[in-house]
Amino acid sequence: MEEQQQPVKNGAEPKPAPDRVSLLNCIDLSSADNQQSVFLLKQACLDCGFFYVINHGISQEFMDEVFAMSKRFFELPLNEKVKLLRNEKHRGYTPFLDETLDPDNQVNAGDYKEGYYIGVEVPEGDPAAEKPFYGPNVWPAPDILPGWRETMERFHREALEVAKAVARIIALALDLEVGFFDKPEMLGEPIATLRLLHYEGQVSDPMKGIYGAGAHTDYGLITLLATDDVLGLQICKDKDAKPQIWEYVAPVKGSFIVNLGDMLERWSNCIFKSTLHRVLGNGHERYSIAYFVEPSHDCLVECLPTCKSEKNPPKFPPIKCGTYLCQRYKDTHADLNVYNKQPQN
């Protein structure tokens, strides 16, 4: 299908044509053909940093349950949701406009989405709970949402296994040992964060800086994304193009959309791409579930030996995962003090 380019006025970005949909590679995690999976993944990582995974081991029945539970939470009255407001550990509810992923272009407001963060459960009193992104989760009361916590904890566990399976193929694609990312300092003790997301139906307008989610790259190793059937996610394969060209990523039932994060781009010395993406609202409600996978707090992210040479030296200095994440979250989220000054109706 030939792509239709809308006319550009005054150097503005072209309006995304409805038929501009990116064709992504699809990787079957149940396939015995490991060589083919590595080939498809490597091709995707070199091209755009996005691909689908199917037959990942999480049943469609359970995925439907997770989406139904997510919707039940977001349908609660606002005064109930703000009782579970995001804390300093990034656990709990994030209201509309809490996050601003593209401050240069979102000049008047943040993202038109609300969310809910669920991380690795670490009880109070455990020394690990002192670390950023670790600690007890914030949970709705069982009498308000019975079974909600159990569903989300199960999904968190199962999604981590999917992420580890993908990471093993990534390791092979980077000429590393298959278990490279399984080490304790990496995905053996990860910072894995589940985030439920709800877009209320706002119509986005890039010319006015109004987005469901502003343009950004993800911070960590990889992200797994499950979506409903409402189109909204877009990717930009070349962030330096003038104007930038944006393509939709179509929802595929039963799949995860997987994208690479900035840490993997640093590890691979920019061989693999952490690609700019955003969400445009089209007037329809949209639900998605993102699972962000990062290594442990103390993991040193530095150029892999297979990704550097005399002609291609490391492009980034080494940095600890926890240090990098803390700065990125601080840059994009509202200061929690703003909520202490607002009436909660």
Side-chain angles (χ1 to χ4, degrees), residues 57-103:
I58 301 180
S59 71
Q60 187 59 51
E61 180 183 30
F62 182 53
M63 289 298 306
D64 291 343
E65 179 185 341
V66 177
F67 270 97
M69 286 288 197
S70 174
K71 186 175 182 180
R72 285 177 61 192
F73 172 79
F74 289 119
E75 288 175 342
L76 292 174
L78 181 59
N79 65 336
E80 287 294 331
K81 290 186 286 191
V82 296
K83 292 177 183 177
L84 302 164
L85 196 64
R86 170 176 64 89
N87 60 25
E88 71 282 354
K89 294 282 191 174
H90 292 282
R91 307 299 178 87
Y93 175 63
T94 56
F96 289 102
L97 309 181
D98 175 82
E99 190 172 18
T100 306
L101 288 168
D102 185 10

Side-chain angles (χ1 to χ4, degrees), residues 223-297:
T223 301
L224 309 180
L225 181 71
T227 75
D228 60 15
D229 58 1
V230 178
L231 204 64
L233 175 65
Q234 293 185 322
I235 63 174
C236 175
K237 293 181 181 179
D238 183 1
K239 63 183 178 183
D240 297 320
K242 302 291 184 184
Q244 291 177 336
I245 304 299
W246 290 91
E247 303 174 57
Y248 281 102
V249 174
V252 173
K253 188 79 169 178
S255 75
F256 280 112
I257 300 165
V258 182
N259 66 281
L260 312 184
D262 297 336
M263 286 187 202
L264 187 54
E265 184 172 271
R266 294 174 77 104
W267 254 319
S268 70
N269 213 20
C270 295
I271 294 173
F272 283 1
K273 297 175 65 174
S274 176
T275 297
L276 203 61
H277 55 286
R278 68 186 187 186
V279 174
L280 294 191
N282 58 8
H284 296 281
E285 263 192 314
R286 180 174 179 271
Y287 291 87
S288 65
I289 299 168
Y291 190 74
F292 302 101
V293 183
E294 288 97 22
S296 75
H297 289 82

